[in-house]
Amino acid sequence: MNILSIETSCDETAAAVTEYNDGFTSILSNAVSSQTALHTQWGGVVPQLASREHIKNIVPIVHEALKKAGISHENIDLLAVTAGPGLMPALVVGVTAAKTLSFIWNKPLIGIQHLEGHIYANFIGEKSGKLKVKSAEQEVKFPLIALVVSGAHTQLVLMRGHLQYEILGETQDDAVGEAFDKVARMLGLPYPGGPEISRRADTLREQQTPENLKEFTEKFPRPMLGADNYNFSFSGLKTAVLYSLKKENPETLKNENFIASMCHAFQEAAVDVLVGKTKKALSLYSPATFVIAGGVSANVRLRTELRNLIDTEFPDTQFLTPEFTYSLDNAAMIGIAAAYRYERMSDTDRLSLLQSYRTLEPNANMPFQNLV
Ligand code: KG4
Ligand code: ZN
């Protein structure tokens, strides 16, 4: 079967075609139209502007996905769309487009939770012409722990089977991606802040010895690292950066080397907390698989430190990471999550998807949906 998926939860308008047969998935196309350049001017995503851009881009991006996949809409068997969580003005565009296509093409439509998509992006295989991965139980071993790190979420999630989610802990205030974006803004760096901060911090680390960087490496607190739970807090860390910047004179604040040092200081503190909390969860649950999910999973320092943790302390745990293309928001991840869901549905439930165009609604705070 062929799945056409749509994603418009934030500032990327995306559509993809996923082929799914006998438990094998191939990504036939993955089209993304990014609005970053527009939102950079405002220092962050403006929901109403995002909505307008989605309206402009949604039809061309669906066309592009079908064209790149080399198939016509008659060969689409299932439609999938991000139903939430996300920005409501942005979600409605994708959901309305998907409902309309479902109605006029008479195809079943499934609503997918965005973070589930990020987690399932880990099961898209290595690049080998087409992207292939076997989507069968023996490929993904459970229990699985996912570290979900995006612009709006920071969670440790336990999965005892496919589509079974238990949130072990989550941020009590800012998400880690949000903290990256806000700290970048304080440092005068453009939106999105994550890649800007990590690029500067990584370059600095290549140029300097750990000894030279020690003062900055240890500059900021590691909030909640010692707390006996799996929750996070990044707002205090953000404030610590702000107070530290207030003490500096205007010339220092413009100094590239100083900015890079602050990027390094912040990134080390944030990564330490994420790795420390992950370690706590892996120690207790000894999962067979550990994955990272969401935009911040593109962070190289985070990937490296998690790899070190797994290699040295949890060698029996399989560590999966999404390909960089599938770390950030995309529709392929929504397609693959839809494939796993559809595979596990009864015939009656599958049939009811033909009526989703009547009832499916976006939900800005959509929780994980456990398969019953
Ligand atoms: O998953 P995502 O694309 O959108 C949401 O679902 O929120 O995540 C976007 C977030 C932004 O906060 C962005 O700054 C962050 O991911 N991000 C990064 C990196 N690349 C993107 N954060 C740290 N390091 C990166 N390399
Ligand atoms: Zn996302």
Side-chain angles (χ1 to χ4, degrees), residues 114 118 150-152 177-178 180-181 192-195 198 294-296 298-299 327-329:
H114 181 79
H118 274 304
S150 73
E178 188 182 354
F180 265 96
D181 294 337
S198 77
V296 184
N299 187 279
S327 278
L328 302 176
D329 288 349

Side-chain angles (χ1 to χ4, degrees), residues 246-273:
K246 280 192 170 159
K247 288 191 211 134
E248 303 294 338
N249 67 52
E251 280 314 301
T252 309
L253 293 176
K254 281 188 239 149
N255 180 293
E256 282 298 330
N257 206 37
F258 171 77
I259 293 173
S261 306
M262 292 298 275
C263 289
H264 165 76
F266 167 77
Q267 180 171 270
E268 289 304 290
V271 167
D272 259 7
V273 174

Side-chain angles (χ1 to χ4, degrees), residues 7 9-12 85-86 114-115 118 149-153 175-181 191-199 202 266-267 293-302 324 327-330 333:
E7 150 69 43
S9 67
C10 191
D11 59 347
E12 323 282 353
H114 181 79
L115 302 173
H118 274 304
V149 279
S150 73
H153 292 83
V176 63
E178 188 182 354
F180 265 96
D181 294 337
Y191 171 85
E196 294 289 333
I197 288 186
S198 77
R199 192 159 45 81
D202 295 349
F266 167 77
Q267 180 171 270
V296 184
S297 75
N299 187 279
V300 175
R301 183 69 172 153
L302 177 63
F324 283 105
S327 278
L328 302 176
D329 288 349
N330 66 87
M333 69 185 197

Side-chain angles (χ1 to χ4, degrees), residues 116-359:
E116 172 169 290
H118 274 304
I119 292 175
Y120 276 78
N122 281 281
F123 310 148
I124 299 174
E126 296 292 312
K127 214 175 216 128
S128 55
K130 279 184 188 175
L131 300 169
K132 286 212 166 167
V133 67
K134 190 171 191 328
S135 96
E137 224 83 14
Q138 73 261 28
E139 280 289 309
V140 184
K141 295 196 182 68
F142 293 95
L144 175 154
I145 284 187
L147 175 66
V148 177
V149 279
S150 73
H153 292 83
T154 308
Q155 297 176 328
L156 272 163
V157 179
L158 172 66
M159 295 174 68
R160 298 185 196 272
H162 273 298
L163 311 171
Q164 303 292 339
Y165 306 95
E166 210 177 300
I167 296 174
L168 301 177
E170 59 192 328
T171 184
Q172 305 298 292
D173 39 60
D174 291 358
V176 63
E178 188 182 354
F180 265 96
D181 294 337
K182 287 179 177 167
V183 167
R185 207 171 163 172
M186 292 174 201
L187 293 169
L189 305 176
Y191 171 85
E196 294 289 333
I197 288 186
S198 77
R199 192 159 45 81
R200 283 170 176 78
D202 295 349
T203 308
L204 187 73
R205 260 196 347 276
E206 278 162 25
Q207 293 165 347
Q208 300 284 343
T209 62
E211 201 45 46
N212 281 347
L213 289 174
K214 197 162 183 277
E215 180 200 338
F216 281 95
T217 304
E218 295 168 0
K219 191 172 178 69
F220 294 125
R222 273 61 172 160
M224 291 185 81
L225 186 54
D228 195 18
N229 57 39
Y230 305 105
N231 291 333
F232 302 88
S233 163
F234 290 100
S235 142
L237 173 56
K238 177 191 69 185
T239 315
V241 177
L242 182 67
Y243 284 145
S244 156
L245 291 176
K246 280 192 170 159
K247 288 191 211 134
E248 303 294 338
N249 67 52
E251 280 314 301
T252 309
L253 293 176
K254 281 188 239 149
N255 180 293
E256 282 298 330
N257 206 37
F258 171 77
I259 293 173
S261 306
M262 292 298 275
C263 289
H264 165 76
F266 167 77
Q267 180 171 270
E268 289 304 290
V271 167
D272 259 7
V273 174
L274 294 171
V275 174
K277 290 285 176 168
T278 299
K279 179 176 169 180
K280 211 184 271 277
L282 296 184
S283 304
L284 187 68
Y285 292 95
S286 306
T289 309
F290 170 64
V291 307
I292 47 173
V296 184
S297 75
N299 187 279
V300 175
R301 183 69 172 153
L302 177 63
R303 286 186 180 217
T304 309
E305 289 302 293
L306 287 170
R307 168 57 62 203
N308 287 342
L309 175 73
I310 300 285
D311 287 352
T312 54
E313 299 192 40
F314 305 96
D316 297 332
T317 299
Q318 184 190 19
F319 178 31
L320 301 179
T321 53
E323 279 196 31
F324 283 105
T325 332
Y326 302 118
S327 278
L328 302 176
D329 288 349
N330 66 87
M333 69 185 197
I334 302 305
I336 190 163
Y340 275 81
R341 268 199 180 266
Y342 193 78
E343 188 181 42
R344 285 162 181 77
M345 285 178 129
S346 66
D347 286 347
T348 325
D349 286 345
R350 286 180 183 177
L351 212 58
S352 73
L353 298 179
L354 277 169
Q355 298 301 316
S356 298
Y357 71 85
R358 295 176 189 271
T359 50

